[in-house]
Amino acid sequence: MTADDDAERQLGLMNRESLPADAGMLFVFEEESSGGFWMKNTLIPLDMIFIRSDGTIVRIVTAQPQSLQPVSSGEPISAVLEIAGGRAAQLGIKEGDIV
């Protein structure tokens, strides 16, 4: 799934009770942004993979369900990939990798 407009980005993966191991949502931004995400109404843990415009993974955070704590990339990014919590480690995905 791709969240490439404001409405899809706002809804994200909220209210889902599960996420298949090989599924996720890609958030693509028209302009680089360092904005944050939160987990309000998100019922499952998610790995948030923050991606620079050159495809480099800058940060990976496992976000906890229903947290109101903002999760930020720490620098401008062009995309975020959300997958099931812990899945990035299982797949060997790490910061510095190229998407």
Side-chain angles (χ1 to χ4, degrees):
M1 294 174 272
T2 301
D4 52 11
D5 66 35
D6 288 338
E8 289 174 341
R9 280 191 285 269
Q10 190 172 24
L11 182 59
L13 293 172
M14 289 192 292
N15 302 312
R16 294 176 182 263
E17 295 181 4
S18 65
L19 184 64
D22 292 329
M25 181 169 276
L26 180 63
F27 295 80
V28 179
F29 305 104
E30 292 178 25
E31 296 181 17
E32 286 189 327
S33 170
S34 57
F37 283 65
W38 66 345
M39 296 288 287
K40 182 179 180 180
N41 300 322
T42 304
L43 308 176
I44 54 176
L46 295 174
D47 283 349
M48 294 183 183
I49 302 172
F50 295 92
I51 305 166
R52 291 184 188 118
S53 61
D54 68 359
T56 305
I57 296 173
V58 65
R59 185 169 187 217
I60 301 172
V61 176
T62 301
Q64 297 307 307
Q66 304 207 31
S67 173
L68 299 180
Q69 184 70 34
V71 180
S72 175
S73 61
E75 67 178 72
I77 54 161
S78 62
V80 176
L81 176 62
E82 290 184 346
I83 58 178
R87 189 74 175 129
Q90 291 172 350
L91 295 171
I93 299 169
K94 58 191 180 307
E95 294 174 4
D97 285 351
I98 305 292
V99 177

